[in-house]
Amino acid sequence: MRATSQASSHGIRTVVVPAAGMGTRFLPATKTVPKELLPVIDTPGIELIAAEAAQAGAQRLAIITAPEKQEIMRHFGNFDELCATLAERGKTTQVEKVQRATNLIEAVSVVQEKPLGLGHAVGCAEAALDDDEDVVAVMLPDDLVLPNGAMEKMAQVRDELGGSVLCAYNVTPEEVFNYGVFDVEEIDGHFDGFSVKRVRGMVEKPAQEEAPSTLVAVGRYLLDRAVFDALRRITPGKGGELQLTDAIELMIQEGHPVHVVVHEGKRHDLGNPAGYIPANVDFGLHDKTYGPALYTAIKAIISEYEAENPQL
Ligand code: UTP
């Protein structure tokens, strides 16, 4: 895939979507169902990401898949027989639901033979980018950053300040140990309606007392193509995996400018049940079909729970 095609106005043409992880926090479901296909209400996380990428002007998803996770690519395939049967039965809304993923964006597969870490997964995408694509856009399919639009803000910052741009989210001090944490400083000048900071360094999953801030990386990255070279030079870090954070930290140390857009909206971490369940409750409550009944059901569940746990 080395042809040149047209980019969106801010240059995001291909979005790399790493989806080759083991999904251990979702076992036993992920024995047979890839984590990225688990639904938020009725739509797999990876389709929500495809919609966000298309909205940001991308034309192609380079999905990093494991050899045993090819169902993810099937989700972006054609289902002609199913659509014909649904159409015969007058189920036009369902036909649209089946065809949506395919119509959103072109999806190509890049196989990561072994789950050697997020950094390794991103490195696998190098050959999937066109030669003249100078930005490596990465979106994690288990991370919902809402409302959509973070990538467009990040692209605006990259246009003005160059280098690489990441997305930061403020968490509580107790939560930092789960994330890549930013060491940041203020910059001169400002962007309309959102906060941008310069990144001095990054630490992967630090203990609370060693965290440089409470601003953590969420799964949206606009990286300079130099990241591929940095990824070749890092060694396995936390968990024995090649960490994307370590490659970014190396680039910063070598003088590469990195900024963050601080996301002020919502964020759902679909990567573990503790984040996945609230995401479903949130989307469910806002769903016009399921919302009203779900609201009543959740209130009843909470009342019952509170009665069982009077100490709360
Ligand atoms: P996660 O760490 O959230 O996913 O990686 P995981 O490794 O599948 O989950 P656990 O920790 O075992 O529960 C973030 C994203 O990066 C992908 C994952 O599929 C996920 O979408 N990833 C991770 C890869 O593509 N390859 C890897 O080697 C690791």
Side-chain angles (χ1 to χ4, degrees):
M1 171 81 52
R2 310 297 291 176
T4 299
S5 50
Q6 224 191 341
S8 61
S9 58
H10 48 62
I12 302 176
R13 193 186 303 158
T14 304
V15 169
V16 177
V17 182
M22 290 192 289
T24 53
R25 288 166 293 170
F26 264 108
L27 285 169
T30 44
K31 285 195 297 182
T32 53
V33 183
K35 174 174 82 171
E36 297 76 11
L37 291 183
L38 295 177
V40 180
I41 311 303
D42 56 9
T43 306
I46 200 158
E47 185 172 322
L48 298 174
I49 292 298
E52 184 183 336
Q55 192 186 311
Q59 297 160 0
R60 181 164 64 208
L61 288 191
I63 303 180
I64 317 297
T65 55
E68 67 284 1
K69 289 179 79 178
Q70 293 305 308
E71 296 83 351
I72 295 178
M73 297 314 298
R74 286 232 317 128
H75 187 73
F76 290 90
N78 289 316
F79 287 79
D80 295 340
E81 235 174 88
L82 174 60
C83 288
T85 309
L86 290 170
E88 268 168 33
R89 297 180 187 183
K91 295 184 182 291
T92 47
T93 308
Q94 283 82 348
V95 172
E96 279 164 26
K97 285 189 176 201
V98 172
Q99 291 175 334
R100 179 169 177 260
T102 322
N103 292 339
L104 275 171
I105 198 160
E106 178 200 4
V108 298
S109 162
V110 177
V111 175
Q112 183 190 24
E113 293 293 341
K114 290 211 159 56
L116 300 177
L118 177 59
H120 182 261
V122 170
C124 292
E126 188 169 9
L129 299 188
D130 295 332
D131 288 339
D132 63 339
E133 278 189 275
D134 64 348
V135 61
V136 185
V138 180
M139 293 173 56
L140 300 192
D142 55 2
D143 218 342
L144 299 183
V145 179
L146 302 163
N148 286 352
M151 291 296 265
E152 288 90 324
K153 289 178 188 154
M154 291 158 61
Q156 194 184 323
V157 174
R158 185 175 141 87
D159 279 351
E160 290 192 32
L161 302 178
S164 296
V165 185
L166 281 63
C167 187
Y169 190 65
N170 221 337
V171 298
T172 64
E174 293 73 37
E175 291 171 302
V176 289
F177 75 95
N178 264 320
Y179 298 96
V181 183
F182 295 112
D183 180 8
V184 291
E185 65 188 17
E186 300 303 323
I187 57 164
D188 292 334
H190 70 280
F191 288 81
D192 261 353
F194 57 96
S195 157
V196 177
K197 296 181 195 295
R198 186 178 172 96
V199 181
R200 282 192 295 235
M202 253 188 115
V203 195
E204 181 65 21
K205 300 190 171 73
Q208 189 176 330
E209 51 287 359
E210 278 156 25
S213 75
T214 52
L215 283 177
V216 304
V218 292
R220 302 290 179 273
Y221 306 81
L222 278 186
L223 302 167
D224 196 274
R225 204 163 169 137
V227 72
F228 291 129
D229 178 54
L231 284 166
R232 276 188 280 274
R233 290 186 288 130
I234 57 165
T235 49
K238 281 260 156 80
E241 296 189 341
L242 285 175
Q243 299 288 354
L244 185 58
T245 304
D246 291 344
I248 297 168
E249 171 61 19
L250 177 61
M251 290 165 80
I252 296 169
Q253 281 170 12
E254 293 177 347
H256 178 78
V258 176
H259 293 87
V260 284
V261 168
V262 181
H263 175 63
E264 301 289 353
K266 268 192 216 183
R267 188 236 166 187
H268 287 300
D269 180 358
L270 304 180
N272 66 87
Y276 177 81
I277 295 166
N280 272 283
V281 171
D282 189 14
F283 274 62
L285 287 172
H286 290 92
D287 186 284
K288 60 181 183 333
T289 308
Y290 304 116
L294 185 61
Y295 178 64
T296 309
I298 288 174
K299 280 209 302 191
I301 292 167
I302 288 177
S303 302
E304 196 179 58
Y305 184 74
E306 285 174 346
E308 285 164 13
N309 296 279
Q311 77 286 1
L312 286 174

